[in-house]
């Protein structure tokens, strides 16, 4: 191991003998009391020295090996240490690709904060490259989500849509002006390739865990982002039936009438689905099915009311939630919907629980979803400052 203090966390002295790692309350941790010798030793934890050399440097500072071991243990428990040389076949393959690593360096740094174990950021970035995500929709929102997921290191991103790209499909993070008139799926595939940090690994999709339905095995996630925002605000349960049957997680995202929507992220059998959403709305409003039938069958205008700034914000939020799920966490859209309307953009959430009359099986699960690989919780870590009596003085 070559211990390195996580460079993504800024360090500052809170006083003469206390060091704070991190700026924001969500990730900040304090260490103290710290004497001058220990503070000097912290500067040596830059990933260039193995333990034998660190012990030798510590002795020059009159610090014992036991003190070094205790310090490293506490820094590891607090999620402050990284190991830039952590060895594994997938991480080694990623590390050898210097250009890809340079592109992904900010992403790996972010993952190193969220996942505190040494080498956790690099391992999760390598794991993304073996995943396969399907984005259904190539409008302003869907194409932007696809490009973001590809740029964030997801190994295989498929985009499904019909027709040809129109001028109103163009977006800075999505389809370029040159794609107008092309088939949307062809233009989206080119966008995904251009956004990727490098060629997809040969094993992309091999590590996926779910049957994507419709002859598409191995999907890690489906992102439902159709150009018609009504299909996100009031999704058809029949469309999601293959994903429910195969256990494929799916996330809704889109814009309808200047209102952005992200969620729910549906975990089949564990959270509310599109059918549950429709049943809950019918419980609250008996006229909802009548109006919904008219909206679905009525004529639509040539272009949607999809503000570019709002569409980009929705795409960014949806991509972040999708990546959090792929990395092993449960984002706030799990079993919930987030909405924001122009002009105030006040994001609000609504829980969407399983409905007793829905056939998805969600009500059979009495416990909350537990698909998470991160312990302790971030709030526990943030409040877990080193107590004053645990001195780090030499």
């Amino acid at each position: 191991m070559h211990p390195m203090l996580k460079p993504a966390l800024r360090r500052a002295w809170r006083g003469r003998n206390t060091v704070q790692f991190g700026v924001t309350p969500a990730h900040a941790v304090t260490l103290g009391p710290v004497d001058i010798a220990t503070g000097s030793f912290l500067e040596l934890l830059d990933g260039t020295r193995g333990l034998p050399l660190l012990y030798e440097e510590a002795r020059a500072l009159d610090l014992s090996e036991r003190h070094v071991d205790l310090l490293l243990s506490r820094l590891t428990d607090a999620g402050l240490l990284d190991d830039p040389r952590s060895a594994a076949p997938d991480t080694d393959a990623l590390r050898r690709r210097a250009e890809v690593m340079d592109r992904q360096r900010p992403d790996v740094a972010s993952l190193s904060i969220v996942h505190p174990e040494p080498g956790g950021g690099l391992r999760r970035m390598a794991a993304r490259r073996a995943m396969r995500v399907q984005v259904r929709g190539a409008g302003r929102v869907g194409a932007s989500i696809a490009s973001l997921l590809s740029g964030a290191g997801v190994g295989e991103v498929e985009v499904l849509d019909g027709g040809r790209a129109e001028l109103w499909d163009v977006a800075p993070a999505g389809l370029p002006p040159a794609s107008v008139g092309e088939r949307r799926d062809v233009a989206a595939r080119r966008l995904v390739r251009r956004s990727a940090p490098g060629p997809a690994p040969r094993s992309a999709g091999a590590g996926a865990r779910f049957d994507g339905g419709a002859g598409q095995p191995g999907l890690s996630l489906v992102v439902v982002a159709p150009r018609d925002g009504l299909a996100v605000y009031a999704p058809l349960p029949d469309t999601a039936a293959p994903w429910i049957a195969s256990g494929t997680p799916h996330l809704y995202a889109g814009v309808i009438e200047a209102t952005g929507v992200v969620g729910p992220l549906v975990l089949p059998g564990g959270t509310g689905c599109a059918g549950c959403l429709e049943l809950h709305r019918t419980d609250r409003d008996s006229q909802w099915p009548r109006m919904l039938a008219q909206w679905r069958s009525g004529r639509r205008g040539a272009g949607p009311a999809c503000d570019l700034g709002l569409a980009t914000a929705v795409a960014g939020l949806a991509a972040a939630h999708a990546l959090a799920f792929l990395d092993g966490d449960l984002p706030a859209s799990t079993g919930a919907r987030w909405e924001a309307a122009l002009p105030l953009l006040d994001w609000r959430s609504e829980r969407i629980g399983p409905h007793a009359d829905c056939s998805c099986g969600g009500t059979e699960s009495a416990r909350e979803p537990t698909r998470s690989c991160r312990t302790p919780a971030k709030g526990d870590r943030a409040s877990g400052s080193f107590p004053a009596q645990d001195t780090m003085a030499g």
Side-chain angles (χ1 to χ4, degrees), residues 95-248:
R95 194 184 291 109
R96 284 194 296 268
R97 308 189 63 169
E99 183 178 348
V100 174
M101 278 298 301
D102 286 342
R103 275 277 303 271
Q104 305 275 218
R105 199 171 303 279
D107 303 274
V108 174
S110 178
L111 285 169
S112 75
I113 294 176
V114 177
H115 300 276
E117 71 276 12
L122 191 60
R123 283 194 295 272
R124 280 171 177 78
M125 180 55 66
R128 286 182 184 179
R129 292 172 58 78
M131 292 180 178
R132 178 167 164 250
V133 175
Q134 185 181 92
V135 179
R136 301 178 72 90
R140 281 187 165 188
V141 175
S144 297
I145 291 173
S147 69
L148 290 169
L149 293 178
S150 179
V154 176
E156 187 173 351
V157 180
E158 302 175 355
V159 186
L160 303 183
D161 205 342
R164 297 186 179 275
E166 303 283 356
L167 279 170
W168 51 79
D169 293 325
V170 173
L175 298 181
S179 66
V180 174
E182 283 189 283
R183 284 177 43 184
R184 285 191 178 92
D185 57 347
V186 173
R189 283 198 293 270
R190 186 183 302 112
L191 170 68
V192 165
R193 289 194 298 270
R194 187 173 66 247
S195 302
R202 294 179 181 178
S203 59
R209 299 154 296 253
F210 306 101
D211 179 355
Q216 297 291 337
L219 287 170
S220 301
L221 178 68
V222 173
V223 181
V224 187
R227 286 172 285 115
D228 181 7
L230 181 63
V232 171
Y233 194 77
L236 278 166
D238 290 347
T239 303
W243 308 323
I244 297 295
S246 63
T248 304

Side-chain angles (χ1 to χ4, degrees), residues 349-365:
S349 67
E350 174 193 3
R351 297 300 304 176
I352 300 171
H355 195 283
D357 294 335
C358 187
S359 61
C360 69
T363 55
E364 298 175 6
S365 178

Side-chain angles (χ1 to χ4, degrees), residues 14-42:
R14 292 185 60 88
R16 297 183 61 184
N17 60 0
T18 303
V19 183
Q20 178 167 316
F21 298 82
V23 177
T24 66
H27 304 291
V29 179
T30 59
L31 172 67
V34 177
D35 62 11
I36 295 176
T38 304
S40 299
F41 182 80
L42 289 175

